[in-house]
Amino acid sequence: MTSTLSKSPLPFVLDSIVKTSPPSGCEGQLWCKYVIVQGDNVIEGMRRGGPAEVADVVDALIVQLNERRGGKKRGYQQRTADSGAKPA
Protein backbone atom coordinates (compact mmCIF):
# COMPACT_ATOMS: atom_id res chain seq x y z
CA MET A 1 0.00 0.00 0.00
CA THR A 2 1.29 3.45 -0.88
CA SER A 3 0.28 6.52 1.09
CA THR A 4 0.95 10.25 0.83
CA LEU A 5 -0.77 12.04 3.69
CA SER A 6 -1.11 15.66 4.72
CA LYS A 7 -3.78 17.45 6.76
CA SER A 8 -6.88 18.18 4.73
CA PRO A 9 -10.41 19.30 5.63
CA LEU A 10 -11.81 16.98 2.94
CA PRO A 11 -13.05 13.46 3.73
CA PHE A 12 -11.45 10.32 2.31
CA VAL A 13 -13.39 8.94 -0.69
CA LEU A 14 -13.03 5.97 -3.01
CA ASP A 15 -11.58 7.05 -6.35
CA SER A 16 -11.42 3.73 -8.19
CA ILE A 17 -11.35 -0.05 -8.02
CA VAL A 18 -10.02 -2.04 -11.00
CA LYS A 19 -9.22 -5.70 -11.54
CA THR A 20 -5.48 -6.41 -11.64
CA SER A 21 -2.99 -9.25 -11.73
CA PRO A 22 -2.11 -10.83 -8.39
CA PRO A 23 1.09 -9.61 -6.75
CA SER A 24 3.99 -12.04 -7.19
CA GLY A 25 3.94 -14.79 -4.62
CA CYS A 26 0.28 -14.26 -3.68
CA GLU A 27 -2.49 -16.80 -4.06
CA GLY A 28 -5.72 -16.31 -5.92
CA GLN A 29 -6.44 -15.16 -9.44
CA LEU A 30 -8.95 -12.39 -8.74
CA TRP A 31 -7.35 -9.24 -7.33
CA CYS A 32 -8.28 -5.56 -7.40
CA LYS A 33 -6.33 -2.36 -7.03
CA TYR A 34 -8.08 0.47 -5.18
CA VAL A 35 -7.37 4.17 -4.86
CA ILE A 36 -8.62 6.30 -1.95
CA VAL A 37 -8.21 10.08 -2.16
CA GLN A 38 -8.51 13.00 0.21
CA GLY A 39 -7.64 16.24 -1.59
CA ASP A 40 -3.99 15.80 -2.62
CA ASN A 41 -3.58 12.68 -0.44
CA VAL A 42 -3.65 9.35 -2.25
CA ILE A 43 -3.75 5.84 -0.79
CA GLU A 44 -3.27 2.96 -3.23
CA GLY A 45 -3.69 -0.67 -2.27
CA MET A 46 -4.42 -4.15 -3.56
CA ARG A 47 -6.76 -6.76 -2.18
CA ARG A 48 -7.80 -10.24 -3.21
CA GLY A 49 -11.40 -10.53 -4.38
CA GLY A 50 -13.80 -9.13 -6.95
CA PRO A 51 -14.71 -5.46 -7.26
CA ALA A 52 -17.88 -5.72 -5.13
CA GLU A 53 -16.12 -7.65 -2.35
CA VAL A 54 -13.16 -5.25 -2.34
CA ALA A 55 -15.52 -2.24 -2.38
CA ASP A 56 -17.19 -3.50 0.83
CA VAL A 57 -13.83 -3.80 2.61
CA VAL A 58 -12.52 -0.47 1.29
CA ASP A 59 -15.75 1.32 2.24
CA ALA A 60 -15.28 0.12 5.83
CA LEU A 61 -11.66 1.31 5.71
CA ILE A 62 -12.78 4.74 4.49
CA VAL A 63 -15.26 5.02 7.37
CA GLN A 64 -12.41 4.28 9.81
CA LEU A 65 -10.09 6.79 8.14
CA ASN A 66 -12.72 9.51 8.30
CA GLU A 67 -13.49 8.72 11.95
CA ARG A 68 -9.79 8.98 12.81
CA ARG A 69 -9.50 12.17 10.75
CA GLY A 70 -12.33 13.81 12.69
CA GLY A 71 -11.11 12.70 16.09
CA LYS A 72 -12.96 10.24 18.23
CA LYS A 73 -15.46 11.45 20.79
CA ARG A 74 -14.74 9.62 24.03
CA GLY A 75 -17.47 8.71 26.47
CA TYR A 76 -15.49 9.44 29.63
CA GLN A 77 -14.56 12.42 31.74
CA GLN A 78 -11.01 13.46 32.34
CA ARG A 79 -9.88 12.87 35.91
CA THR A 80 -8.83 15.82 37.99
CA ALA A 81 -6.72 15.83 41.14
CA ASP A 82 -9.79 15.93 43.39
CA SER A 83 -11.94 13.43 41.42
CA GLY A 84 -10.27 10.33 42.85
CA ALA A 85 -11.32 8.31 45.86
CA LYS A 86 -11.78 10.26 49.08
CA PRO A 87 -9.72 9.15 52.08
CA ALA A 88 -11.75 7.49 54.86
Side-chain angles (χ1 to χ4, degrees):
M1 180 164 56
T2 304
S3 173
T4 305
L5 298 176
S6 66
K7 292 192 177 194
S8 173
L10 300 172
F12 288 93
V13 294
L14 178 61
D15 182 61
S16 63
I17 294 180
V18 295
K19 290 182 184 177
T20 189
S21 303
S24 62
C26 292
E27 296 181 8
Q29 295 301 310
L30 187 56
W31 281 76
C32 290
K33 176 182 174 184
Y34 61 86
V35 179
I36 299 170
V37 296
Q38 178 203 34
D40 293 335
N41 300 326
V42 177
I43 300 171
E44 296 177 339
M46 293 178 70
R47 186 156 185 98
R48 187 170 62 181
E53 180 183 3
V54 173
D56 288 343
V57 173
V58 173
D59 285 344
L61 174 61
I62 290 169
V63 167
Q64 291 175 349
L65 288 168
N66 285 320
E67 285 176 351
R68 290 179 66 186
R69 181 184 132 273
K72 291 186 178 181
K73 306 293 184 233
R74 305 260 181 205
Y76 64 88
Q77 293 179 328
Q78 185 174 354
R79 292 186 74 174
T80 60
D82 63 344
S83 67
K86 304 269 184 203

